[in-house]
PDB file of all heavy atoms in Angstrom:
ATOM      1  N   GLN A  13      13.306 204.043 -16.769  1.00 96.00           N
ATOM      2  CA  GLN A  13      13.477 203.971 -18.226  1.00 96.00           C
ATOM      3  C   GLN A  13      13.520 202.520 -18.691  1.00 96.00           C
ATOM      4  O   GLN A  13      12.923 202.162 -19.706  1.00 96.00           O
ATOM      5  CB  GLN A  13      14.744 204.702 -18.654  1.00 96.00           C
ATOM      6  CG  GLN A  13      14.968 204.704 -20.155  1.00 96.00           C
ATOM      7  CD  GLN A  13      13.904 205.473 -20.907  1.00 96.00           C
ATOM      8  OE1 GLN A  13      13.746 206.663 -20.693  1.00 96.00           O
ATOM      9  NE2 GLN A  13      13.163 204.807 -21.771  1.00 96.00           N
ATOM     10  N   LYS A  14      14.203 201.678 -17.934  1.00 96.00           N
ATOM     11  CA  LYS A  14      14.291 200.252 -18.273  1.00 96.00           C
ATOM     12  C   LYS A  14      12.904 199.604 -18.252  1.00 96.00           C
ATOM     13  O   LYS A  14      12.574 198.813 -19.139  1.00 96.00           O
ATOM     14  CB  LYS A  14      15.234 199.553 -17.285  1.00 96.00           C
ATOM     15  CG  LYS A  14      15.584 198.147 -17.659  1.00 96.00           C
ATOM     16  CD  LYS A  14      16.631 197.582 -16.699  1.00 96.00           C
ATOM     17  CE  LYS A  14      16.986 196.173 -17.104  1.00 96.00           C
ATOM     18  NZ  LYS A  14      18.006 195.597 -16.234  1.00 96.00           N
ATOM     19  N   GLN A  15      12.088 199.966 -17.279  1.00 95.00           N
ATOM     20  CA  GLN A  15      10.717 199.445 -17.215  1.00 95.00           C
ATOM     21  C   GLN A  15       9.908 199.904 -18.426  1.00 95.00           C
ATOM     22  O   GLN A  15       9.075 199.161 -18.941  1.00 95.00           O
ATOM     23  CB  GLN A  15      10.012 199.927 -15.932  1.00 95.00           C
ATOM     24  CG  GLN A  15      10.388 199.195 -14.700  1.00 95.00           C
ATOM     25  CD  GLN A  15       9.922 197.750 -14.713  1.00 95.00           C
ATOM     26  OE1 GLN A  15       8.854 197.413 -15.215  1.00 95.00           O
ATOM     27  NE2 GLN A  15      10.755 196.889 -14.171  1.00 95.00           N
ATOM     28  N   LEU A  16      10.163 201.126 -18.861  1.00 94.00           N
ATOM     29  CA  LEU A  16       9.394 201.698 -19.966  1.00 94.00           C
ATOM     30  C   LEU A  16       9.865 201.214 -21.334  1.00 94.00           C
ATOM     31  O   LEU A  16       9.138 201.358 -22.318  1.00 94.00           O
ATOM     32  CB  LEU A  16       9.465 203.224 -19.906  1.00 94.00           C
ATOM     33  CG  LEU A  16       8.843 203.864 -18.671  1.00 94.00           C
ATOM     34  CD1 LEU A  16       9.183 205.347 -18.619  1.00 94.00           C
ATOM     35  CD2 LEU A  16       7.341 203.650 -18.643  1.00 94.00           C
ATOM     36  N   ASP A  17      11.063 200.652 -21.396  1.00 92.00           N
ATOM     37  CA  ASP A  17      11.623 200.222 -22.677  1.00 92.00           C
ATOM     38  C   ASP A  17      11.010 198.932 -23.214  1.00 92.00           C
ATOM     39  O   ASP A  17      11.239 198.591 -24.368  1.00 92.00           O
ATOM     40  CB  ASP A  17      13.145 200.069 -22.572  1.00 92.00           C
ATOM     41  CG  ASP A  17      13.859 201.412 -22.581  1.00 92.00           C
ATOM     42  OD1 ASP A  17      13.239 202.418 -22.980  1.00 92.00           O
ATOM     43  OD2 ASP A  17      15.038 201.452 -22.166  1.00 92.00           O
ATOM     44  N   VAL A  18      10.226 198.240 -22.407  1.00 90.00           N
ATOM     45  CA  VAL A  18       9.588 197.008 -22.874  1.00 90.00           C
ATOM     46  C   VAL A  18       8.274 197.353 -23.567  1.00 90.00           C
ATOM     47  O   VAL A  18       7.731 198.448 -23.388  1.00 90.00           O
ATOM     48  CB  VAL A  18       9.355 196.010 -21.705  1.00 90.00           C
ATOM     49  CG1 VAL A  18      10.686 195.619 -21.069  1.00 90.00           C
ATOM     50  CG2 VAL A  18       8.412 196.562 -20.684  1.00 90.00           C
ATOM     51  N   ASP A  19       7.766 196.414 -24.356  1.00 85.00           N
ATOM     52  CA  ASP A  19       6.533 196.679 -25.102  1.00 85.00           C
ATOM     53  C   ASP A  19       5.339 196.972 -24.198  1.00 85.00           C
ATOM     54  O   ASP A  19       4.536 197.848 -24.482  1.00 85.00           O
ATOM     55  CB  ASP A  19       6.208 195.515 -26.040  1.00 85.00           C
ATOM     56  CG  ASP A  19       7.131 195.498 -27.244  1.00 85.00           C
ATOM     57  OD1 ASP A  19       7.693 196.553 -27.587  1.00 85.00           O
ATOM     58  OD2 ASP A  19       7.300 194.421 -27.839  1.00 85.00           O
ATOM     59  N   TYR A  20       5.202 196.208 -23.130  1.00 87.00           N
ATOM     60  CA  TYR A  20       4.085 196.402 -22.206  1.00 87.00           C
ATOM     61  C   TYR A  20       4.637 196.568 -20.791  1.00 87.00           C
ATOM     62  O   TYR A  20       4.833 195.590 -20.077  1.00 87.00           O
ATOM     63  CB  TYR A  20       3.098 195.231 -22.278  1.00 87.00           C
ATOM     64  CG  TYR A  20       2.399 195.175 -23.606  1.00 87.00           C
ATOM     65  CD1 TYR A  20       2.914 194.419 -24.660  1.00 87.00           C
ATOM     66  CD2 TYR A  20       1.249 195.919 -23.831  1.00 87.00           C
ATOM     67  CE1 TYR A  20       2.283 194.393 -25.903  1.00 87.00           C
ATOM     68  CE2 TYR A  20       0.616 195.901 -25.067  1.00 87.00           C
ATOM     69  CZ  TYR A  20       1.140 195.138 -26.091  1.00 87.00           C
ATOM     70  OH  TYR A  20       0.516 195.119 -27.314  1.00 87.00           O
ATOM     71  N   PRO A  21       4.902 197.809 -20.370  1.00 90.00           N
ATOM     72  CA  PRO A  21       5.508 198.049 -19.057  1.00 90.00           C
ATOM     73  C   PRO A  21       4.634 197.538 -17.916  1.00 90.00           C
ATOM     74  O   PRO A  21       3.401 197.557 -18.002  1.00 90.00           O
ATOM     75  CB  PRO A  21       5.629 199.567 -18.982  1.00 90.00           C
ATOM     76  CG  PRO A  21       5.424 200.077 -20.350  1.00 90.00           C
ATOM     77  CD  PRO A  21       4.640 199.056 -21.091  1.00 90.00           C
ATOM     78  N   ASP A  22       5.271 197.092 -16.857  1.00 93.00           N
ATOM     79  CA  ASP A  22       4.599 196.676 -15.634  1.00 93.00           C
ATOM     80  C   ASP A  22       4.149 197.950 -14.918  1.00 93.00           C
ATOM     81  O   ASP A  22       4.971 198.668 -14.338  1.00 93.00           O
ATOM     82  CB  ASP A  22       5.575 195.858 -14.777  1.00 93.00           C
ATOM     83  CG  ASP A  22       4.993 195.438 -13.446  1.00 93.00           C
ATOM     84  OD1 ASP A  22       3.936 195.966 -13.037  1.00 93.00           O
ATOM     85  OD2 ASP A  22       5.612 194.571 -12.795  1.00 93.00           O
ATOM     86  N   THR A  23       2.862 198.229 -14.955  1.00 92.00           N
ATOM     87  CA  THR A  23       2.334 199.477 -14.419  1.00 92.00           C
ATOM     88  C   THR A  23       2.616 199.631 -12.926  1.00 92.00           C
ATOM     89  O   THR A  23       2.913 200.734 -12.458  1.00 92.00           O
ATOM     90  CB  THR A  23       0.815 199.579 -14.689  1.00 92.00           C
ATOM     91  OG1 THR A  23       0.597 199.424 -16.097  1.00 92.00           O
ATOM     92  CG2 THR A  23       0.265 200.919 -14.262  1.00 92.00           C
ATOM     93  N   LEU A  24       2.540 198.541 -12.179  1.00 95.00           N
ATOM     94  CA  LEU A  24       2.821 198.615 -10.744  1.00 95.00           C
ATOM     95  C   LEU A  24       4.275 199.021 -10.497  1.00 95.00           C
ATOM     96  O   LEU A  24       4.554 199.885  -9.668  1.00 95.00           O
ATOM     97  CB  LEU A  24       2.512 197.277 -10.061  1.00 95.00           C
ATOM     98  CG  LEU A  24       2.746 197.227  -8.550  1.00 95.00           C
ATOM     99  CD1 LEU A  24       1.912 198.289  -7.832  1.00 95.00           C
ATOM    100  CD2 LEU A  24       2.420 195.855  -8.007  1.00 95.00           C
ATOM    101  N   ALA A  25       5.200 198.406 -11.248  1.00 96.00           N
ATOM    102  CA  ALA A  25       6.622 198.752 -11.105  1.00 96.00           C
ATOM    103  C   ALA A  25       6.854 200.210 -11.508  1.00 96.00           C
ATOM    104  O   ALA A  25       7.599 200.941 -10.839  1.00 96.00           O
ATOM    105  CB  ALA A  25       7.492 197.821 -11.938  1.00 96.00           C
ATOM    106  N   VAL A  26       6.224 200.643 -12.584  1.00 96.00           N
ATOM    107  CA  VAL A  26       6.347 202.037 -13.029  1.00 96.00           C
ATOM    108  C   VAL A  26       5.811 202.966 -11.945  1.00 96.00           C
ATOM    109  O   VAL A  26       6.453 203.957 -11.591  1.00 96.00           O
ATOM    110  CB  VAL A  26       5.614 202.256 -14.373  1.00 96.00           C
ATOM    111  CG1 VAL A  26       5.505 203.748 -14.699  1.00 96.00           C
ATOM    112  CG2 VAL A  26       6.310 201.512 -15.498  1.00 96.00           C
ATOM    113  N   ASP A  27       4.653 202.638 -11.403  1.00 96.00           N
ATOM    114  CA  ASP A  27       4.046 203.464 -10.357  1.00 96.00           C
ATOM    115  C   ASP A  27       4.969 203.575  -9.147  1.00 96.00           C
ATOM    116  O   ASP A  27       5.159 204.670  -8.593  1.00 96.00           O
ATOM    117  CB  ASP A  27       2.697 202.877  -9.949  1.00 96.00           C
ATOM    118  CG  ASP A  27       1.930 203.769  -8.993  1.00 96.00           C
ATOM    119  OD1 ASP A  27       2.029 205.010  -9.097  1.00 96.00           O
ATOM    120  OD2 ASP A  27       1.218 203.227  -8.121  1.00 96.00           O
ATOM    121  N   GLN A  28       5.567 202.477  -8.741  1.00 97.00           N
ATOM    122  CA  GLN A  28       6.468 202.488  -7.584  1.00 97.00           C
ATOM    123  C   GLN A  28       7.717 203.335  -7.848  1.00 97.00           C
ATOM    124  O   GLN A  28       8.149 204.099  -6.987  1.00 97.00           O
ATOM    125  CB  GLN A  28       6.854 201.058  -7.202  1.00 97.00           C
ATOM    126  CG  GLN A  28       5.702 200.281  -6.613  1.00 97.00           C
ATOM    127  CD  GLN A  28       6.000 198.796  -6.450  1.00 97.00           C
ATOM    128  OE1 GLN A  28       6.933 198.264  -7.051  1.00 97.00           O
ATOM    129  NE2 GLN A  28       5.194 198.125  -5.641  1.00 97.00           N
ATOM    130  N   LEU A  29       8.276 203.211  -9.045  1.00 97.00           N
ATOM    131  CA  LEU A  29       9.470 203.999  -9.377  1.00 97.00           C
ATOM    132  C   LEU A  29       9.146 205.486  -9.511  1.00 97.00           C
ATOM    133  O   LEU A  29       9.910 206.331  -9.044  1.00 97.00           O
ATOM    134  CB  LEU A  29      10.115 203.462 -10.653  1.00 97.00           C
ATOM    135  CG  LEU A  29      10.794 202.096 -10.500  1.00 97.00           C
ATOM    136  CD1 LEU A  29      11.083 201.482 -11.865  1.00 97.00           C
ATOM    137  CD2 LEU A  29      12.077 202.230  -9.682  1.00 97.00           C
ATOM    138  N   VAL A  30       8.008 205.791 -10.114  1.00 97.00           N
ATOM    139  CA  VAL A  30       7.592 207.198 -10.226  1.00 97.00           C
ATOM    140  C   VAL A  30       7.356 207.774  -8.832  1.00 97.00           C
ATOM    141  O   VAL A  30       7.786 208.895  -8.535  1.00 97.00           O
ATOM    142  CB  VAL A  30       6.328 207.330 -11.118  1.00 97.00           C
ATOM    143  CG1 VAL A  30       5.727 208.724 -11.008  1.00 97.00           C
ATOM    144  CG2 VAL A  30       6.666 207.019 -12.574  1.00 97.00           C
TER     145      VAL A  30
END
Side-chain angles (χ1 to χ4, degrees):
Q13 182 65 61
K14 190 174 181 179
Q15 282 293 324
L16 296 171
D17 284 343
V18 299
D19 286 337
Y20 293 91
D22 177 346
T23 305
L24 181 58
V26 169
D27 187 34
Q28 290 170 343
L29 289 165
V30 168

